[in-house]
């Protein structure tokens, strides 16, 4: 059967590229770059795609490290998304180096499917997933319009075809007080650090009475200059997360009230800013998820369709999934005990199991491309499911 032959051919292509792909994955891993600073990674990825016949647009959506690489023409327009940002101090503790090389490997291998059956492959480089919500910003700037499908695969501790993700927005806060000698003239000061500490206390009280799926957490980035000076400035960054958009809006106001109350109590002045990239919940397209499961299982892996008991983070792929049928499956690269965003996960992202997971996921995504270009009815069903869920 022609489709099966083509699948064997695209997976064979990924095997042929394995050395190049693992070399790029390890190079990105060894040179971790934070969100919107992924200059080297974006260059290495676009260079590989250019050498392999893709047309490249750099700096799309007015973001210097975002890119779009395209091959082929017309429908179906299939996007494979690459992430490549790292975490402060921890490096690639979310394994985005593997997401990036999975995307470019799948893209290059898919060329032969598009050559034979038509359609287009777009590898979209999406920076700053971790902190700024790069895809949320890119979605607002039209990067994902006119696509039929958007796919990526994320390193995980298990093989699972769907992802749950919380809606999430970042809140940056600053308190402005007044310096004074902390012992000789404390009554002349206004303590901005106390305002911050009171805010934490208020949020901790609030936390008892919020939905169990919601999350509020934050850090203090500035807490004063010296113990004998009343802190005149404090600053922090918080994240508010909820299982749906409406509850996120409600919770955002409650959290903000904690800061307003602390400002009133201390006399410090509050300034705040909600992050531009608001992460949406993930809408998993089940037709696409099943294709991922089937194709991964053809490689000898066991893939679950979903894991209901999993704790959830957030992903800006959620924003993409609100405008185009999408999947964001997990690919096992580490043992079950390993926690994401930890030094152990960073090691896994450069391990043999990490590279194997990346190559298998690239094969599965390329095989989905074969499914889509050889079978327009599947594309129609994917679209139908997406429209039904609106
Ligand atoms: Zn991640
Ligand atoms: Zn992460």
């Amino acid at each position: 059967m022609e489709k099966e032959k083509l699948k064997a051919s695209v997976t064979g292509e990924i095997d042929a590229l394995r050395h190049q792909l693992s070399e790029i994955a390890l190079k990105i891993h060894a040179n971790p770059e934070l969100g919107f600073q992924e200059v080297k990674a974006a260059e290495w990825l676009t260079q590989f795609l250019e050498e392999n016949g893709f047309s490249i647009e750099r700096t799309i959506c007015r973001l210097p490290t975002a890119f779009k690489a395209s091959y082929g023409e017309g429908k179906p327009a299939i996007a494979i998304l690459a992430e490549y940002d790292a975490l402060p101090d921890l490096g690639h503790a979310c394994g985005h180096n593997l997401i990036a090389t999975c995307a470019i490997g799948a893209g290059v291998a898919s060329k032969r499917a598009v050559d034979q059956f038509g359609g287009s492959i777009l590898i979209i480089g999406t920076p700053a997933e971790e902190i700024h919500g790069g895809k949320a910003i890119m979605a607002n700037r039209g990067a994902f319009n006119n696509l039929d499908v958007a796919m990526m695969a994320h390193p995980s501790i298990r093989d699972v075809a769907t992802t749950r993700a919380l809606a999430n927005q970042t809140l940056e806060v600053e308190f402005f007080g007044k310096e004074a000698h902390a012992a000789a003239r404390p009554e002349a000061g206004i303590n901005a650090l106390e305002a911050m500490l009171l805010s934490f206390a208020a949020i901790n009280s609030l936390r008892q009475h919020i939905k169990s799926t919601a999350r509020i957490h934050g850090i203090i980035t500035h807490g004063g200059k010296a113990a004998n000076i009343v802190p005149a400035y404090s600053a922090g960054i918080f994240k508010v997360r909820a299982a749906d958009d409406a509850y996120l809006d409600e919770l955002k106001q409650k959290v903000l009230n904690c800061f307003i109350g602390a400002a009133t109590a201390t006399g410090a002045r509050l300034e705040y800013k909600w992050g531009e990239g608001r992460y949406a919940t993930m809408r998993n397209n089940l037709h696409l998820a099943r294709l991922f499961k089937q194709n991964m299982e053809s490689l000898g892996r066991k893939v679950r369709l979903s894991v209901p008991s999993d704790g959830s983070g957030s992903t800006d792929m959620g924003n993409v999934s609100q405008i185009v049928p999408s999947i964001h499956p997990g690919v096992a690269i580490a043992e079950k005990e390993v926690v994401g965003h930890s030094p152990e996960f960073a090691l896994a992202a450069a391990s043999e199991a990490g590279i194997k997971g990346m190559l298998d996921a690239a094969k599965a995504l390329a095989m989905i491309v074969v499914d889509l270009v050889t079978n327009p009815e599947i594309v129609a069903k994917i679209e139908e499911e997406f429209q039904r869920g609106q």
Side-chain angles (χ1 to χ4, degrees):
M1 188 186 165
E2 195 158 16
K3 184 161 102 175
E4 293 313 314
K5 257 203 243 160
L6 191 51
K7 283 191 178 180
S9 156
V10 297
T11 58
E13 172 73 10
I14 287 166
D15 283 328
L17 293 169
R18 78 164 36 223
H19 290 294
Q20 284 183 69
L21 293 173
S22 55
E23 200 186 332
I24 299 171
L26 295 176
K27 210 156 62 163
I28 296 174
H29 189 276
N31 292 273
E33 298 166 299
L34 297 180
F36 292 137
Q37 299 167 33
E38 314 96 323
V39 179
K40 290 179 193 161
E43 179 52 33
W44 293 328
L45 296 165
T46 49
Q47 201 183 339
F48 176 83
L49 289 164
E50 198 161 38
E51 282 164 12
N52 283 282
F54 278 73
S55 321
I56 314 289
E57 287 172 63
R58 293 182 170 84
T59 309
I60 63 165
C61 298
R62 309 193 302 279
L63 301 174
T65 53
F67 66 83
K68 181 157 99 177
S70 28
Y71 185 87
E73 267 175 29
K75 297 275 182 178
I78 302 164
I80 304 176
L81 275 49
E83 295 175 3
Y84 31 84
D85 59 323
L87 289 157
D89 299 333
L90 290 169
H92 277 288
C94 208
H96 293 185
N97 60 315
L98 300 175
I99 299 175
T101 44
C102 168
I104 61 171
V108 170
S110 300
K111 277 167 51 184
R112 53 189 68 191
V114 165
D115 284 342
Q116 219 172 315
F117 290 93
S120 47
I121 305 290
L122 302 118
I123 308 302
I124 305 182
T126 62
E129 192 281 329
E130 291 289 356
I131 293 167
H132 303 290
K135 291 185 206 61
I137 297 166
M138 291 174 74
N140 291 341
R141 297 179 187 175
F144 309 111
N145 296 349
N146 308 316
L147 297 174
D148 291 295
V149 154
M151 312 190 282
M152 60 174 283
H154 198 297
S156 172
I157 51 164
R158 53 173 67 90
D159 285 327
V160 54
T162 55
T163 295
R164 292 192 309 150
L166 299 172
N168 157 19
Q169 199 161 4
T170 300
L171 174 64
E172 292 181 30
V173 296
E174 294 174 298
F175 285 108
F176 298 88
K178 197 172 158 205
E179 283 111 347
H181 195 294
R185 290 297 309 281
E187 73 281 8
I190 295 175
N191 195 321
L193 176 60
E194 288 296 337
M196 186 61 79
L197 298 178
L198 266 183
S199 307
F200 270 87
I203 288 168
N204 289 339
S205 297
L206 170 66
R207 197 179 279 114
Q208 296 179 64
H209 304 288
I210 64 173
K211 292 184 182 177
S212 60
T213 44
R215 297 285 185 271
I216 312 162
H217 44 97
I219 57 166
I220 299 178
T221 55
H222 294 81
K225 292 279 169 60
N228 60 355
I229 307 172
V230 172
Y233 178 73
S234 69
I237 303 173
F238 295 77
K239 278 183 177 282
V240 185
R241 309 192 200 226
D244 63 75
D245 278 323
Y247 192 56
L248 180 61
D249 284 335
E250 192 181 322
L251 200 53
K252 277 173 60 181
Q253 188 55 53
K254 288 182 174 174
V255 170
L256 191 56
N257 288 344
C258 295
F259 294 99
I260 294 169
T264 307
T266 57
R269 183 170 56 83
L270 170 68
E271 280 190 23
Y272 69 90
K273 195 173 82 191
W274 290 102
E276 185 189 351
R278 171 170 165 151
Y279 295 61
T281 52
M282 181 73 203
R283 281 180 67 191
N284 297 282
N285 189 281
L286 291 181
H287 279 90
L288 265 181
R290 280 189 213 106
L291 289 179
F292 182 81
K293 178 171 154 69
Q294 279 162 22
N295 284 308
M296 273 298 251
E297 290 191 337
S298 77
L299 301 169
R301 298 177 79 110
K302 182 85 195 91
V303 182
R304 296 166 72 176
L305 193 60
S306 64
V307 185
S309 59
D310 257 8
S312 312
S314 303
T315 170
D316 58 11
M317 189 64 183
N319 299 65
V320 181
S321 77
Q322 301 295 330
I323 49 182
V324 48
S326 300
I327 47 166
H328 179 281
V331 180
I333 66 157
E335 298 297 322
K336 301 255 180 304
E337 310 73 56
V338 176
V339 178
H341 291 195
S342 73
E344 293 74 27
F345 204 89
L347 286 178
S351 69
E352 212 173 294
I355 298 296
K356 170 87 166 56
M358 178 268 289
L359 294 170
D360 283 349
K363 288 176 183 177
L365 295 185
M367 285 192 280
I368 296 178
V369 174
V370 173
D371 286 324
L372 299 179
V373 297
T374 56
N375 199 338
E377 298 92 82
I378 297 184
V379 181
K381 281 197 177 125
I382 288 168
E383 176 62 20
E384 214 176 276
E385 179 190 331
F386 181 76
Q387 295 301 344
R388 242 196 349 258
Q390 288 286 23

